[in-house]
Amino acid sequence: MRKLAASMLLAPVLLAAAPVSARELLAIGAHFERVFERGQEGDIVGLGPEIIKVLAQRMGHTVRFELYPWARAQALITQGKADILVGPYKNPERLQNMAFSKLAFYQDQMVFYARADANASWNGDFGTLGEQRIVVLNGWAYGTAFDQARPQLRLSVANSVDSGLKMLVHQHVNLFASNRRNTEPVMGRLGLVGQVVMLPKVIDVQEGYFAFPRDTQFDTLRRDFDAAFQRMVDSGELKKLGQRYEVNVP
């Protein structure tokens, strides 16, 4: 009887220690080089999934990953059909539709690319680009200054870095606006190194975050995630992961 009584007293303690809200999280994103991409074995790899797997385990959750076109991934998170979106930059529209993590987890330089034989230049003044045909990527954010200049720019839209680069080399556009992390590996794969050059003036430096649906049912997850991620940053663990994946971290 004493053993039974002791086990009955212990049971509530064990139940309290278990994460009663533990569940499988759905984390989604688009193909971002070294941040979120499909590996050779078909699984989703990169800095973002690595961080989420570690933090989910520490919070008592499991996690699965799905890859979508970027515009579709953003729509799913705003509709509350996924738990975490990997990698969005902040802009006013997204701040209204998504709840961002407290801390960013990577940084990107947004730049223009041009054909090497075009002798293109840009001094940072968007007013000088009125006659230039520019391709941008669907759903990407390029910073406040670029957004303000959009009405005066001649813009086309591509759905992938590969498509943007091909539009550039086939002379459908004069400039391609992208980021270095995503673009330079693709240039190598397409054999465009030497044919395409980066203009030295940076459009903007953008920071990438994790985002959650704005619905209040996700508030606890976001707060727990922020607290666990803060500890990861403070310990230097994020810096080491950034070095491993060759991604700039804040």
Side-chain angles (χ1 to χ4, degrees):
M1 291 294 291
R2 289 180 181 176
K3 289 183 179 179
L4 178 59
S7 64
M8 290 175 67
L9 288 171
L10 183 59
V13 176
L14 293 175
L15 288 172
V20 294
S21 59
R23 61 184 179 86
E24 182 184 67
L25 304 176
L26 173 58
I28 62 174
H31 180 97
F32 289 175
E33 294 281 337
R34 301 192 295 273
V35 168
F36 195 93
E37 56 186 325
R38 195 172 299 283
Q40 294 182 350
E41 313 235 332
D43 51 340
I44 303 298
V45 298
L47 178 61
E50 184 74 18
I51 293 170
I52 293 175
K53 283 187 287 187
V54 171
L55 298 186
Q57 182 180 38
R58 293 173 184 175
M59 292 187 294
H61 301 299
T62 58
V63 61
R64 65 185 171 93
F65 300 96
E66 293 183 3
L67 189 149
Y68 293 95
W70 187 228
R72 175 63 174 154
Q74 293 178 79
L76 288 172
I77 207 72
T78 60
Q79 295 163 9
K81 295 180 179 178
D83 297 288
I84 306 173
L85 176 64
V86 179
Y89 308 144
K90 285 183 179 179
N91 67 14
E93 180 182 358
R94 291 176 184 167
L95 286 168
Q96 290 186 8
N97 297 322
M98 309 174 190
F100 281 75
S101 57
K102 179 180 177 182
L103 301 175
F105 74 99
Y106 72 99
Q107 288 181 328
D108 276 332
Q109 285 187 331
M110 312 304 294
V111 294
F112 286 121
Y113 289 89
R115 294 183 301 278
D117 60 5
N119 296 316
S121 63
W122 182 59
N123 63 4
D125 180 2
F126 289 101
T128 64
L129 298 177
E131 299 304 313
Q132 301 295 311
R133 293 165 297 159
I134 303 168
V135 59
V136 298
L137 288 161
N138 189 18
W140 281 34
Y142 291 87
T144 302
F146 190 94
D147 287 343
Q148 291 174 345
R150 275 179 181 268
Q152 287 75 48
L153 300 177
R154 298 176 61 190
L155 300 180
S156 300
V157 177
N159 288 319
S160 69
V161 172
D162 298 57
S163 297
L165 285 169
K166 289 174 182 176
M167 290 176 69
L168 181 64
V169 297
H170 292 138
Q171 302 187 31
H172 299 307
V173 295
N174 306 108
L175 299 172
F176 173 38
S178 187
N179 66 49
R180 298 183 64 180
R181 174 187 48 78
N182 270 290
T183 306
E184 290 173 9
V186 179
M187 287 170 56
R189 288 201 298 270
L190 296 179
L192 299 179
V193 177
Q195 296 182 54
V196 172
V197 296
M198 182 189 78
L199 302 189
K201 187 70 175 180
V202 174
I203 298 171
D204 204 347
V205 175
Q206 294 277 60
E207 293 191 329
Y209 293 78
F210 299 102
F212 306 79
R214 292 192 66 86
D215 192 299
T216 55
Q217 73 181 73
F218 295 90
D219 287 352
T220 298
L221 170 63
R222 189 179 76 255
R223 286 194 296 266
D224 291 347
F225 187 96
D226 279 343
F229 188 40
Q230 182 73 64
R231 290 191 289 272
M232 174 181 278
V233 172
D234 292 343
S235 69
E237 194 174 358
L238 176 63
K239 182 177 181 180
K240 291 178 182 177
L241 288 174
Q243 291 171 344
R244 185 198 304 174
Y245 284 96
E246 299 180 342
V247 174
N248 292 329
V249 301

